[in-house]
Amino acid sequence: MGEYGVTPGQHVAIIWDSSSPAEALKDLVEKIQALVGADSRVAVENVNQLFQSAHRESSFDVILSGVVPGSTAQHSAEVLAEIARILKPGGRVLLKELVVTESGNNSRIKTAAKLPVALTLSGLVEVKELQKEVLTPEEAQSVQEHLGYQGNDLLIVQVEGKKPNFEVGSSSQLKLSFAKQPGPSGKPSLDPATAKLWTLSANDMNDEEMDLLDSDELLDSEDLRKPDPSSLRAPSCKELGKKKACKNCTCGLAEELEQKKNSQPKSACGNCYLGDAFRCASCPYLGMPAFKPGEKILLKENQLHDA
Amino acid sequence: MVGRKLLVLFGSQTGTAQDTAERIGREAKRRHFHCRVEALDSYEVANLINEPLVVFVCATTGQGDPPDNMKMFWRFLFRKNLPPSSLCQLDYAVVGLGDSSYPKFNFIAKKLHKRVLQLGGNPLLPVVLGDDQHDLGPDAVIDPWLLALWDKILTLYPLPPGLEIISPDVRLPPKYTLHYLAEDSSHPGGGQLQPTAPRAVPSELHPFAARMVSNQRVTAESHFQDVRLIEFDISGSGITFSAGDVVMIQPQNRPEDVQQFCQLLRLDPNRCFVLKPTEPGTPLPALLPQPCTIRYLVTHYLDISCVPRRSFFELLSYFSTNELEREKLEELSSAQGQEELYSYCNRPRRTTLEVLWDFPHTTCAVPPDYLLDLIPLIRPRAFSIASSLLAHPDRIQILMAVVRYKTRLSKPRCGLCSTWLASLNPDQGDVRVPLWVKKGGMKFPADPDTPVIMIGPGTGVAPFRAVIQERVAQGRRGNCLFFGCRQKTKDFYCQAEWEELVTKGFLTLFTAFSRDQEEKVYVQHRIRENRRLVWELLSSRSAHIYLAG
């Protein structure tokens, strides 16, 4: 495993802010790119642009934030939540943040205790504090410039967190089994007392005074859903071929149909005398029963009109 | 074969769930399972704790309600006193049949699946939700699900060594065998219904043969629709009902159709027969007298005017001696052929009899043994009772529109029951109609001062006629009716009755005649026009509001 625990082929996001020195950021990006290999799997984001970028959820294996040496990043609850969203299930975030050691200071900077809590509240698990560092003089200077904070109780803490190993919205069935030891058939054996109660109840069919459960309570919101209407359509449900010419027909179909109406219809397939099950879609005898052998059928005038 | 048991339990209202259940039963037999297929209310529920493998096939009907033949089971299943691990030995799966245009889509199957899980059952697969709204019906989702189910089941219960799945080319034995009696043996008056024992309340298994008293057309002769007010005599039946209840009528086939069917299948209508079950323990069909005549079977039992299902084509293909016909029948019963089946059969509402006519070589080769496997029992039809016992004791009246419409078939489609009832003339002799009564869904206020607002266009007014007659007999005046139809002079049925009640102060009537003027006027327009009155009734008098039609 390379530095920061990044392995080849992973999708990595590096989040920086205005306090991160440009050179150091470039160095870090190159280092990570070398680790994961080519194909631009490294996304580099300014924390203020993070929301606009609207990355697809669950797209990154590793997110590094505030780890550029010299950075004084502060992670808000919204940023942490966004990080949690775009991490893949089981993915890791590694971040560095300034903390104060004493609480009670009227400052935006979190206390050492509050930082892991902030990660947990955003939905990350296995939150671990990896290391604490005292600021170098340059870093202290940087803090003063960017955050206007002057105190000497600052530390830089490196914290790691993980996204839980299931996706938002996934479901899993709980196994609530009160099963007793299985009997010889491999099934749980039936308690004789239970069997007796059931039998007694079953033999008393006079249920005028029986207490009944409300069956509606068994249903949940999933049960109240209706099927999607598109799922109810058959792949091809066409009307049996009835040709209709448009009112101002110019293609000649109208005349063709007129002619058909006036002449005795001819069978296209030769199966007309069999029932509807065997006739083709344009058969003029559709709708009539099968003919008796030797029977000659003359269609009545009104039966030749389009329905 | 020991231990290879599968139980299929169904709750079916229109027969679709039962047909699906029977299909699963056949597929189970082909995989060498000993399989029983039963309606849920006919099954001894005490045994459920011992069942190893059950497939439930349940329709949802009404407003998210269980079908009639599983109502008892449903009440049992939700008892609080059932221990949570009762069904720990049960592997199960649930097939649902419903219609997603209803809000409570497949609620029965969904609830059943969860409740059995709650009681310790082990589901083999997620519940499958068949949908009438799908272009290709419930089978569109059930077909692939069943493939997955058999995979699962055969993993748990692999085929015994040396046995293969019985090929779909091999025909399964019929449920019953049909044995003709000698031609000269005396036969009963086959065709007459025996009067019920006076104590039993008439039901589906024991209908009451009610005498038709009158059969009047209530729409103008020139009106396109034939609507009848029909009255039955129920004295001596033990039937009671209240307004809002429903009468179930068991129809029969037309004599011309019966004759045509017998000709096609080369059956002699006058022969007598008895049925014997193929598997011992199978009960005989409840509504068939034994011995029975062919004429009785085809007139009263076999539903030859129903639209045949996929299973009909599958079974019919086995009897075909003609290659062209057999190929077509096999195609129409295959999963790939469902679109063509829907186009040939379901959409134009082609009847079983018409299909048999189209496949002459196959039809004449159908063995009588298979008739009851091929064609289902005629289903009863429900009508809202349009009269009250308080106004017309010992009588049931119904308001019935004769169903008749065109599809792309040259012959118009006719409702079996409405056409049959319309053809009966009580002036020409003793006319009997098998019927029984079922509780309705509407409940009316117990407090006599609570007003009732009823909206009933067309024949939807039928149950409200019963309600109004009942309330008037009880002296209750708060009755408000919104009635709509096409033209005052053509289909304003019960006009005289309503006008009399309005004069006497028992009824507030609003009418909407949609075609009596240029713009269409419907009941909702009248409701809006009278919204102040409606609101006043609802808010300060706690009126109950009802809608039917």
Side-chain angles (χ1 to χ4, degrees), chain B residues 171 264-266 316 318-322 325 356 359-368 370 374:
Chain B
R171 188 168 91 190
L264 279 173
L265 276 86
R266 311 204 176 155
L316 197 60
Y318 290 116
F319 309 121
S320 195
T321 52
N322 172 299
E325 290 185 9
L356 291 173
F359 291 87
H361 298 96
T362 313
T363 303
C364 63
V366 173
Y370 281 92
L374 201 55

Side-chain angles (χ1 to χ4, degrees), chain A residues 107-147:
Chain A
S107 154
R108 299 178 307 172
I109 306 179
K110 300 186 189 61
T111 63
K114 279 245 167 80
L115 180 58
V117 172
L119 265 79
T120 307
L121 288 176
S122 320
L124 298 162
V125 295
E126 293 183 43
V127 176
K128 287 197 283 269
E129 196 186 275
L130 293 178
Q131 62 182 86
K132 276 197 185 80
E133 287 164 1
V134 177
L135 277 73
T136 63
E138 293 86 27
E139 283 164 344
Q141 180 79 6
S142 174
V143 171
Q144 217 176 17
E145 276 167 32
H146 288 104
L147 299 180

Side-chain angles (χ1 to χ4, degrees), chain B residues 53 91 107:
Chain B
L53 185 58
D91 288 326
F107 266 27

Side-chain angles (χ1 to χ4, degrees), chain B residues 289-484:
Chain B
Q290 293 251 74
C292 183
T293 59
I294 295 285
R295 178 173 287 113
Y296 186 96
L297 177 71
V298 182
T299 307
H300 295 276
Y301 198 93
L302 296 179
D303 196 356
I304 59 181
S305 74
C306 77
V307 178
R309 297 177 199 275
R310 180 177 169 184
S311 52
F312 171 85
F313 290 89
E314 190 184 316
L315 184 53
L316 197 60
S317 65
Y318 290 116
F319 309 121
S320 195
T321 52
N322 172 299
E323 190 176 326
L324 183 66
E325 290 185 9
R326 185 180 47 250
E327 264 175 25
K328 182 57 73 171
L329 291 168
E330 284 172 356
E331 186 190 335
L332 292 171
S333 49
S334 68
Q336 303 81 351
Q338 288 311 287
E339 206 188 309
E340 177 153 4
L341 176 66
Y342 266 64
S343 170
Y344 170 63
C345 220
N346 301 58
R347 279 193 275 276
R349 320 278 315 146
R350 195 180 299 268
T351 66
T352 299
L353 186 55
E354 286 170 330
V355 173
L356 291 173
W357 182 272
D358 273 1
F359 291 87
H361 298 96
T362 313
T363 303
C364 63
V366 173
D369 284 341
Y370 281 92
L371 284 175
L372 279 96
D373 293 273
L374 201 55
I375 303 174
L377 167 59
I378 298 175
R379 305 201 76 82
R381 269 59 168 174
F383 295 92
S384 290
I385 299 179
S387 64
S388 168
L389 284 173
L390 299 179
H392 303 279
D394 283 332
R395 294 285 189 269
I396 287 182
Q397 293 176 354
I398 61 172
L399 201 57
M400 178 198 83
V402 177
V403 174
R404 190 181 159 91
Y405 58 94
K406 286 219 67 175
T407 63
R408 68 173 166 83
L409 296 176
S410 52
K411 205 166 135 205
R413 307 292 93 192
C414 295
L416 176 67
C417 189
S418 58
T419 309
W420 172 58
L421 288 175
S423 72
L424 299 173
N425 189 345
D427 298 332
Q428 286 178 350
D430 191 46
V431 173
R432 298 268 166 170
V433 171
L435 53 78
W436 63 98
V437 164
K438 205 169 90 156
K439 267 243 133 292
M442 291 195 281
K443 289 193 179 55
F444 294 94
D447 178 0
D449 292 326
T450 308
V452 157
I453 302 173
M454 298 160 283
I455 307 162
T459 48
V461 77
F464 299 139
R465 184 170 178 272
V467 176
I468 290 169
Q469 284 183 358
E470 192 170 276
R471 286 171 62 89
V472 166
Q474 293 167 332
R476 302 185 189 192
R477 286 174 181 264
N479 308 306
C480 178
L481 175 66
F482 288 88
F483 175 73

Side-chain angles (χ1 to χ4, degrees), chain B residues 90 92 121 219 400 428 451 460:
Chain B
L90 178 64
Y92 75 100
T219 50
M400 178 198 83
Q428 286 178 350

